[in-house]
Amino acid sequence: KPSSAASDVYKRQTWYLLLYLAGFIGFASIIFGRAACGWACPIGFLQDITKGRKTKSEFDKKMRYLKYVILIAIPIASYITKKLAYTDICPVGGLTATLPHLVVNIHGYTFTPFFIPKMINVAGFFVLIFLLTRGWCRHLCPVGAMMAPFNKVSILQIEYVEERCIKCFKCAKVCPMQINMPFDNRSAECIRCGMCIDACPTNAIFFKFKWQ
């Protein structure tokens, strides 16, 4: 049947797109780790502007694993629902696509049952980023969860020379991801933003490619 054939083509195209995106993210992450989160993500830029509260509580540390749960749940939900289910409720999609569409052409927008849940998540997103620095990146972002494991093996690293360090911990104070710097300089949470490097008065930490 034509409808069945069209459905099969759509499914293949969807999987090809997902594989392409995963491959591109993996390739970039092998080179730069999570640097895209610190230098290229508009949502990250928005969070830096809000300057949420900094915390290193035990609850905060445990909640950081939530983004990995979300990452695993996305393909499972897509398989069960036979659609890209996460996009229906993703607050980032609501912020970057749904709201601009409504502003530009509200009459051309097709409202679905997921509109209200998505808007609730958008509101929750703003609450989170005002409460915590980089709250979305630290706890909920599935793309960040994809990139995070590559931090350990990426070509670009943050090098720490303890002999130069005067233990002023200015690097830890400015870190938006609240990493235990300078000692945890290879953390999966590091977004390679370089704020710690700028804050270090003795150049004890710096960017370094593995071949250098």
Side-chain angles (χ1 to χ4, degrees), residues 26-35 147-159 185-187 190 192 207-211:
F27 176 75
S29 300
I30 287 175
I31 300 175
F32 301 108
R34 269 184 86 176
M147 294 179 174
F150 291 98
N151 268 7
K152 303 291 185 181
V153 297
S154 65
I155 296 174
L156 178 66
Q157 292 287 341
I158 291 183
E159 195 75 9
N185 58 305
R186 293 179 183 265
S187 169
C190 178
R192 307 285 197 266
F207 285 126
K208 182 180 179 180
F209 286 101
K210 285 188 174 182
W211 63 74

Side-chain angles (χ1 to χ4, degrees), residues 144-201:
M146 290 179 63
M147 294 179 174
F150 291 98
N151 268 7
K152 303 291 185 181
V153 297
S154 65
I155 296 174
L156 178 66
Q157 292 287 341
I158 291 183
E159 195 75 9
Y160 169 53
V161 180
E162 188 171 5
E163 290 76 12
R164 300 180 189 175
C165 183
I166 58 175
K167 306 300 188 295
C168 65
F169 299 110
K170 290 182 178 180
C171 52
K173 292 176 183 177
V174 300
C175 178
M177 298 296 284
Q178 294 296 274
I179 299 169
N180 185 31
M181 291 293 290
F183 309 111
D184 200 11
N185 58 305
R186 293 179 183 265
S187 169
E189 296 297 314
C190 178
I191 56 174
R192 307 285 197 266
C193 65
M195 293 180 67
C196 57
I197 296 173
D198 292 338
C200 181

Side-chain angles (χ1 to χ4, degrees), residues 44-60:
F45 174 70
L46 176 61
Q47 292 176 91
D48 288 340
I49 293 175
T50 59
K51 296 186 180 297
R53 185 173 61 92
K54 294 182 178 181
T55 177
K56 289 185 178 180
S57 68
E58 288 300 317
F59 179 72
D60 171 69

